[in-house]
Amino acid sequence: MQPLQQLPPYAVPPVEFPFRSLVQRAARLALGGEREIALAALTAARFARGSVGPFRLPGSLRQARAAASRVWFSTLTLPARARLSAQRVVDASAGDDMQALAAGLEELIEVAGPVLDRAANAELRALTRLATARADA
């Protein structure tokens, strides 16, 4: 892949998915509990990214997505603590309290950390740093 400086002026820069390691870890886990925890962490991370990333979604859309996520989370066979921490991240992503979002992500890392590998945990930690930096700004 060429650096952005070397792309032709008419080229569209490549889109990079920020949670590649989370997806790979979920794909490698066997069907069942651990995979569902990894998928819940991935989903929560994607919701959080929509509230702190460079392409922040409007508040009304974030609230609608958070409300709809409750149905999806209810279909997963998750331990209660994992369901609660993932839902906390999603609920915090609907609002503007970045400290609550960072705290929710820290809790999610603690709960899902044993299931995830080092790279997947690093992606969640990077997202937590992004939320913390936005809270401090």
Side-chain angles (χ1 to χ4, degrees):
M1 178 168 50
Q2 295 179 349
L4 291 179
Q5 297 86 358
Q6 295 178 349
L7 288 175
Y10 53 83
V12 177
V15 176
E16 293 186 25
F17 185 66
F19 305 115
R20 184 173 285 145
S21 295
L22 273 167
V23 170
Q24 289 174 349
R25 180 64 181 155
R28 289 185 180 119
L29 289 168
L31 293 176
E34 288 187 344
R35 183 181 222 173
E36 293 197 358
I37 291 171
L39 288 173
L42 170 65
T43 302
R46 292 186 67 209
F47 275 77
R49 180 72 177 195
S51 63
V52 298
F55 304 107
R56 189 168 194 248
L57 298 173
S60 59
L61 180 57
R62 287 184 284 126
Q63 290 169 359
R65 287 172 37 148
S69 75
R70 290 190 179 280
V71 174
W72 183 79
F73 277 118
S74 70
T75 65
L76 297 178
T77 308
L78 289 171
R81 189 163 179 230
R83 180 186 317 278
L84 185 59
S85 64
Q87 193 62 55
R88 258 192 206 124
V89 171
V90 171
D91 290 343
S93 74
D96 293 323
D97 186 357
M98 294 299 120
Q99 290 178 339
L101 182 61
L105 286 165
E106 286 291 339
E107 182 183 347
L108 183 62
I109 290 169
E110 181 183 326
V111 171
V115 173
L116 303 176
D117 58 12
R118 186 180 302 161
N121 275 311
E123 289 174 347
L124 289 176
R125 281 189 174 74
L127 185 59
T128 304
R129 284 191 301 274
L130 188 61
T132 302
R134 188 167 171 97
D136 293 341

